[in-house]
Amino acid sequence: MPSVLKSRQGRPSVAEMRADLQALRKPTAKVMEDIFNKYYNACMATEPPRKDIVVQEPEVNWKALIMSLPKPQNSTVLGCGIRKIHLAETECIYHGVYRFHVEHLDGSRAVFDFRDAYDDSYHTYKDKSFKHDVELALRAAVLPQLVQYKEMLSKDSQMELVSHISGVALPWEKAVVQHFPITLHSLIDAFLNEHQLQLEQVKLEFCGDHGYKIKDRDLADKWRIFHRSQAHYRIISTDEAMEQDHL
């Protein structure tokens, strides 16, 4: 009877085969959390913070991670292929929001949140939303109302907007709409209390423009109605906005 050991000579071991299979899988959520924090901290370590940094993690199967994103987001993010992965500040209504970006072979870029690739029974990213992400989605939902207020003042004055703090005339791009005297956080708290919800219970979904949007369309409409009836604003400059705790 031939020896089992002899029959396996020249073939990979079980451990080697497992390692080969592991390389084809997406990394664990913990690995991705550590990678994100590593490069985010590297960006925050400079003054001013870096807006973009190339992610050098050759052991990560980025394609497998991206293809685990919800459809059709996965195909859009993968695009024509991966040239580089970046961690970069994302263009949205909040300052300082960082996400992974895919630099495609044709030079275009697509942004994604790695947490969207782990929406399964072993992870709780979607069962409990992150506070910052919910605030981002709630602010994005009412952004047109802030723009409308700014446009209304601009038309009424027929001139540059004026800071309510300094009285200085401001061009459109230097004028910021601030919730005042009631902060946006106070409005959010009041709305959630009215609907007996915790911030972490507001379900989100991916949004290409702002990162996240409210998944429940009915709840989003109720929030817009509530915000329109309760919110008050003032105009301040971009420099003054940097010194404010709330916008």
Side-chain angles (χ1 to χ4, degrees), residues 144-159 161 172 177 235:
Q145 297 179 19
L146 277 67
V147 174
Q148 185 180 42
Y149 172 79
K150 193 173 175 181
E151 290 174 340
M152 179 190 68
L153 289 186
S154 183
K155 290 177 181 178
D156 288 346
S157 63
Q158 297 296 315
M159 57 183 294
L161 297 165
W172 175 273
V177 179
I235 296 293

Side-chain angles (χ1 to χ4, degrees), residues 204-246:
L204 306 177
E205 62 184 4
F206 176 77
C207 170
D209 294 328
H210 305 294
Y212 288 101
K213 61 182 178 181
I214 302 170
K215 188 173 185 178
D216 187 332
R217 298 291 182 267
D218 183 56
L219 183 66
D221 288 339
K222 289 177 179 178
W223 162 240
R224 292 187 187 98
I225 293 170
F226 177 88
H227 182 271
R228 185 177 292 279
S229 67
Q230 300 294 325
H232 298 276
Y233 317 104
R234 68 176 179 178
I235 296 293
I236 59 177
S237 70
T238 52
D239 291 337
E240 292 163 345
M242 295 294 289
E243 300 174 356
Q244 300 294 311
D245 293 329
H246 302 283

Side-chain angles (χ1 to χ4, degrees), residues 4 14 31 53-54 81 83 91 93 98 104 115 144 155 160 166 172 176 182 189 201 222 230-231 235 237:
V4 175
V14 173
V31 168
I53 187 171
V54 175
R83 173 178 290 164
E91 292 184 5
I93 54 178
Y98 284 73
H104 295 136
R115 293 173 297 188
K155 290 177 181 178
E160 293 180 316
S166 62
W172 175 273
V176 176
I182 302 174
D189 288 343
Q201 294 174 317
K222 289 177 179 178
Q230 300 294 325
I235 296 293
S237 70

Side-chain angles (χ1 to χ4, degrees), residues 30-41:
K30 180 63 169 62
V31 168
M32 290 309 304
E33 289 174 359
D34 291 342
I35 291 173
F36 179 91
N37 291 333
K38 171 185 173 181
Y39 287 90
Y40 177 79
N41 291 336

Side-chain angles (χ1 to χ4, degrees), residues 15 45 63 65 75 86 96 99 103 111 118 123 142 157 167 172 180 186 192 217 220 222:
K63 183 176 180 180
L65 175 68
S75 297
H86 302 250
R99 295 283 187 268
E103 180 183 337
V111 60
Y118 297 92
H123 301 89
V142 298
S157 63
W172 175 273
F180 186 84
S186 296
L192 295 177
R217 298 291 182 267
K222 289 177 179 178

